Every structure is written in C-alpha cells, then in structure tokens.
Amino acid sequence: MNTPIPLLVFSGSSRAQSLNHKLAHAAGDIAVAEGAQVTRLNLADFDLPIYNGDLEAQGMPRDVVRLKEVLHAHPAWIISAPEYNGSYPALLKNAIDWASRPVAGDPAWAVGTKPFAGKVVGLLAAAPGALGGVRGLLHLAPLLMQLQCWVAPKQFALAKAGEAFDPSGAVSTEAVRVAVHGVVEQVLWAARRFQS
C-alpha cells in the first residue's frame, strides 16, 4: 500500500466566508478520500507584516519560520487563490515573499527556496465572475515556478462560485467536484513519483 502523501491545502484569502476557503476545503475533502494526509492551513493564523527589508534586518519574525516549516514539511500543496485586479492577492504574495527569504545565521534556512524547491503544487481559483479567477492563476504559476515548484498542468477556476456551494459549504454540483478531483489527483500522482 502506498504511504499517504502529506498534502497542504490553503487559500490565498483570510476572509472567513471566502469562496476560496470553501473551494480549498472541498479539495481537502477529496484528497482525504484519495488517501492523502491532509493539513489545512489558514494564512490568517500567521502574523506576517508587509515584507520590509529593514524589519527583516531586525530579526526574522517567528511566524515566518513557522510558515517555512509547514511549507517544507509537505511535498504537495493545493492553493485556491482569489483574483484581485487580474492577479493574485497581496496576502498570498506577502506570505510567499517572507517564506522565500533566507534566515541570517540559521543554517537550516540559509537557502531561501528551501520551503518551495521540488514541491508539487495544484492551483485552484474561485470567483463570482464568469472567468472564475483564471487570470490570477496565470500570474501565480510563474511565481511558484521561479521558486522551483512543480506546478501541475491541470488547474481549475470556478466561475460563478457564489452559486457553487450548498448551505453547508460543500460543492453543490458533480461537474465542479470532478474538476477539483482532477487537480487533486494529478498533484498526488506527481508527488508520489517525485518521492520514488
């Protein structure tokens, strides 16, 4: 039997009722059913000030190291990212910018790309509009590849997302479930091969 893949699932939003939180949660449920060992992360649980080199020079914030540790511990990720003005949100970019910084004097984190290199990443987006946030994913994928992530070719942007979830927050249509499953399945498939 295959060892369960540790999969990190999170959204690029901190809003409690975020459509991307809901989509990430649905992806996590699907991954659990596929046998993955799922960790759900909420960026709102990390105290990450806006990146500033002067602030960094005073000492790396503890939550930056904590975020690095969580990212590094998981060989595979699913990110569901909102689209802000045709790109990904500042919250997500700020988290990535901090997590990619080397930590002066700490040999464990001397290489900035350590939390990212070789990670298999599946991308999702949810938006109330007709494009579903796909433009943001077009910007996010190159950023992750720059950091040496392997971004799964299969992605999914959920259009009219306000109508896609039932009152409990579960995906309300089989078509959406199948599309999300396709991304999760490809991420787990690739992660298993990268680990072998």
Side-chain angles (χ1 to χ4, degrees), residues 157-189:
L158 176 57
K160 300 182 179 178
E163 306 167 13
F165 301 95
D166 66 23
S168 72
V171 170
S172 60
T173 70
E174 181 65 9
V176 171
R177 193 199 69 78
V178 168
V180 175
H181 181 271
V183 176
V184 170
E185 185 177 49
Q186 189 172 73
V187 166
L188 296 178
W189 176 88

Side-chain angles (χ1 to χ4, degrees), residues 42-142:
N42 188 336
L43 290 177
D45 294 336
F46 294 80
D47 184 12
L48 303 175
I50 296 297
Y51 176 76
N52 180 301
D54 291 339
L55 181 60
E56 179 184 7
Q58 297 171 22
M60 192 65 73
R62 172 63 195 133
D63 272 10
V64 171
V65 177
R66 190 164 67 94
L67 179 60
K68 284 174 171 286
E69 291 168 346
V70 174
L71 295 174
H72 182 63
H74 295 81
W77 311 340
I78 297 286
I79 305 173
S80 186
E83 179 186 297
Y84 289 4
N85 296 316
S87 191
Y88 48 80
L91 174 72
L92 182 56
K93 180 63 161 61
N94 190 58
I96 291 170
D97 287 347
W98 272 118
S100 64
R101 296 298 301 160
V103 182
D106 185 342
W109 301 111
V111 177
T113 56
K114 180 179 176 179
F116 299 89
K119 304 304 180 183
V120 177
V121 184
L123 297 181
L124 305 172
L131 296 179
V134 69
R135 293 174 300 178
L137 299 185
L138 293 174
H139 292 188
L140 181 57

